[in-house]
Amino acid sequence: MRAKVERAEILDFLTYADRRDAIRASAMAAKDLRRVHLGDHLTLLFENQETIRYQIQEMVRAEQMVRESDIRHELDTYNAVLGGEGELGCTLLIEIPDAALRPVLLRRWRGLPGHLHLTFTDGSRESARFDAAQMDEARLSSVQFLIFPVGDRTPVGVLVDLPELAVGTPLSPATRRALLEDLGRLPAEA
């Protein structure tokens, strides 16, 4: 089973505030390795245990959470983004700077699920699984949580084949290595 963030890893918000700068710097470095820009409007952030732990800590800090049930809810919510064994979890940001155009494009791009793919060294590709709770019949949310089934294949690129957004990009060697580490196929770098 893929490692999830455990309750014991979450600091109280005061202790976290004391250590936040160092934790944030490390999490941002992890995010930089896992961020993939796809055209002008799509950015994917492949998540791992460190990036998810950081998100949970930030929520605990922002909300000054002390109730165990609230902290457990954040753990359950964010751990789901990681996916399971042989899967890569990803946050997709649909970036539309023009506030007036944003709702129009989010309606027009409602068909994006089924058109966003991870590509592999063997030439195959796998569609992302979108969370149905983040969309309705009319439009997408501008933030999506995705799961890419990978199995034992090696990811090499990302592509979207929705005609209006059609674009592909290779994964950098550093991103490929980070994703293989996240899949447990390489030892984590020190």
Side-chain angles (χ1 to χ4, degrees), residues 87-146:
E87 296 179 326
L88 290 170
C90 180
T91 302
L92 169 65
L93 306 171
I94 303 173
E95 300 167 312
I96 307 165
D98 184 330
L101 188 56
R102 190 174 304 124
V104 173
L105 292 178
L106 289 173
R107 277 192 299 277
R108 199 155 68 204
W109 298 341
R110 173 59 177 86
L112 185 60
H115 291 277
L116 180 61
H117 315 281
L118 196 57
T119 60
F120 301 95
T121 54
D122 66 3
S124 65
R125 69 184 191 182
E126 194 72 52
S127 297
R129 289 193 319 256
F130 281 66
D131 181 350
Q134 296 175 282
M135 62 187 87
D136 59 30
E137 297 77 31
R139 69 180 191 97
L140 294 170
S141 169
S142 61
V143 177
Q144 296 286 322
F145 299 117
L146 314 176

Side-chain angles (χ1 to χ4, degrees), residues 38-57:
L38 191 57
D40 295 333
H41 298 287
L42 306 177
T43 298
L44 294 98
L45 174 61
F46 289 91
E47 304 285 3
N48 73 355
Q49 209 176 358
E50 181 175 10
T51 65
I52 290 297
R53 183 174 44 251
Y54 171 72
Q55 289 302 125
I56 295 167
Q57 284 290 177

Side-chain angles (χ1 to χ4, degrees), residues 54-71:
Y54 171 72
Q55 289 302 125
I56 295 167
Q57 284 290 177
E58 284 294 302
M59 290 300 297
V60 168
R61 181 188 72 85
E63 300 293 326
Q64 296 187 354
M65 289 180 194
V66 293
R67 284 194 181 99
E68 191 63 23
S69 61
D70 293 339
I71 296 169

